[in-house]
Amino acid sequence: TYHKVLTDNIFTSNYLLDRWARKGSSTAAGLKNSEPVTHAKNATAGAFDPRGAFAVANNDKRTKFEFDWKFYQASVQLWEVDKYMNQGAGVWQLVDLVKAEFENAQLSIEGQIGADIFQLATTDPLGLVGLQSMVQDIPAAGTYGGISRTTETFFNNKQKTMAVLNLDDMYAAYLDASDSNDSPTITISTKAVLPLYNKQLTPIQRIQDATTGRAGFQKLYFLDNPVVYDNNCAAQHMYMLNEKYLVWRILKGVNFKMRDAVVPNNVWSSVKSIFYGACMYHRRPARNCVLTTIAS
């Protein structure tokens, strides 16, 4: 009964998840999420003398990254005694009780996923590889998707230390993460940092999006891109993300899969569990930038 409700509502309480769901998530299977990456141009490309020799030697142009599926669950225990205590004239109390239990499970999963999309991969290895690993404070450190960011610099995001938030440095960071018209599409920060940005805007720049406003989300803009806050965002950070390359993939068949009730032998109750499998990653981290140490 509640499987569809969970699937439909999971993203609506968090602006980022709601936005990414609207942009479209994909369904896939397999042991891992693996994608090829082109990191160099063909070295033989160029002008040549038609009466002379031309380059034919192949160069290394491709590699691949891999991300594991991440799984979430919530279980609801329903006591048989409640069924009998709420029968008769009070039967609707049972319906409210069951609904309340599943709504609580839904909110609990929403809250955990919403927090994990910002975390470091090492914070909870079982959870999503979040923004702090996708867009690192130290870009040329560690690995991402199995690719070394120390040796494969093409996989490094951009970073700028910014003790005092100002529009000129924000614009410079935006350009650093851009390539022609391939630029960041959203800016995310904290509730403490957003007022600092708002103070620098003229009234004409304080534009609200009607569609998002109706959905309950309010935001500002920077270069026509939304500027939003999230309570889970790392303190003193601002992320500029290019969502063109952001992937939200759901494991086929595990999109809030409701398992049949399990009835223990020695307990007068039944347990129903909800399962969700997903993977989040970015195909071109270099098109993202993080501003760090922003003083509030």
Side-chain angles (χ1 to χ4, degrees):
T1 303
Y2 295 98
H3 177 84
K4 187 177 188 304
V5 175
L6 287 169
T7 302
D8 289 348
N9 292 343
I10 181 64
F11 295 113
T12 58
S13 67
N14 179 289
Y15 174 72
L16 290 181
L17 297 179
D18 179 74
R19 179 180 172 91
W20 295 341
R22 292 176 189 274
K23 286 180 174 293
S25 58
S26 59
T27 303
L31 294 177
K32 292 178 179 289
N33 289 272
S34 178
E35 285 201 26
V37 179
T38 299
H39 60 85
K41 295 180 180 180
N42 189 317
T44 67
F48 78 104
D49 180 354
R51 294 185 177 84
F54 53 86
V56 295
N58 193 21
N59 62 300
D60 182 21
K61 297 179 286 294
R62 290 176 295 275
T63 184
K64 69 174 181 178
F65 57 73
E66 291 185 336
F67 290 90
D68 292 324
W69 292 106
K70 303 298 181 179
F71 296 94
Y72 293 83
Q73 74 87 30
S75 296
V76 174
Q77 186 174 26
L78 302 174
W79 294 95
E80 287 292 319
V81 67
D82 291 332
K83 171 181 175 181
Y84 295 102
M85 292 174 63
N86 287 279
Q87 64 182 325
V91 67
W92 293 111
Q93 295 177 15
L94 174 62
V95 175
D96 290 342
L97 176 65
V98 174
K99 181 179 179 181
E101 288 288 345
F102 279 96
E103 286 181 345
N104 181 273
Q106 171 190 335
L107 291 172
S108 299
I109 295 176
E110 288 176 355
Q112 190 61 58
I113 293 176
D116 285 0
I117 63 176
F118 284 93
Q119 72 172 352
L120 280 164
T122 55
T123 302
D124 180 5
L126 295 178
L128 293 168
V129 179
L131 286 184
Q132 291 188 70
S133 289
M134 179 191 300
V135 190
Q136 295 188 144
D137 290 5
I138 304 176
T143 62
Y144 184 65
I147 295 178
S148 171
R149 284 175 151 171
T150 303
T151 58
E152 305 292 351
T153 57
F154 75 94
F155 223 44
N156 294 348
N157 58 267
K158 304 301 190 295
Q159 181 271 340
K160 187 174 182 62
T161 301
M162 185 179 295
V164 179
L165 187 69
N166 66 81
L167 295 180
D168 289 339
D169 284 346
M170 284 181 64
Y171 185 54
Y174 173 89
L175 291 178
D176 196 24
S178 301
D179 183 10
S180 187
N181 65 343
D182 193 10
S183 304
T185 56
I186 188 172
T187 299
I188 309 154
S189 193
T190 70
K191 188 182 286 188
V193 170
L194 225 61
L196 305 179
Y197 173 67
N198 185 59
K199 287 180 180 178
Q200 301 182 56
L201 303 179
T202 64
I204 194 64
Q205 292 173 303
R206 296 188 178 98
I207 304 170
Q208 298 290 346
D209 177 74
T211 302
T212 304
R214 286 197 298 270
F217 302 112
Q218 301 296 321
K219 61 180 181 293
L220 301 168
Y221 278 81
F222 177 73
L223 300 177
D224 293 328
N225 294 330
V227 179
V228 300
Y229 79 86
D230 193 295
N231 291 326
N232 297 301
C233 184
Q236 298 184 307
H237 283 60
M238 177 177 279
Y239 294 93
M240 294 181 174
L241 303 181
N242 187 324
E243 298 163 293
K244 176 181 177 181
Y245 305 104
L246 191 142
V247 176
W248 188 279
R249 190 166 286 162
I250 301 169
L251 181 59
K252 186 175 182 180
V254 197
N255 188 8
F256 290 93
K257 172 72 173 178
M258 185 82 74
R259 188 173 68 172
D260 292 339
V262 175
V263 182
N265 291 329
N266 61 340
V267 178
W268 202 23
S269 69
S270 61
V271 177
K272 298 197 76 171
S273 299
I274 308 157
F275 299 92
Y276 182 72
C279 182
M280 181 186 79
Y281 59 90
H282 202 280
R283 295 197 298 261
R284 295 195 69 184
R287 296 280 76 84
N288 302 321
C289 184
V290 59
L291 313 179
T292 59
T293 65
I294 302 172
S296 59

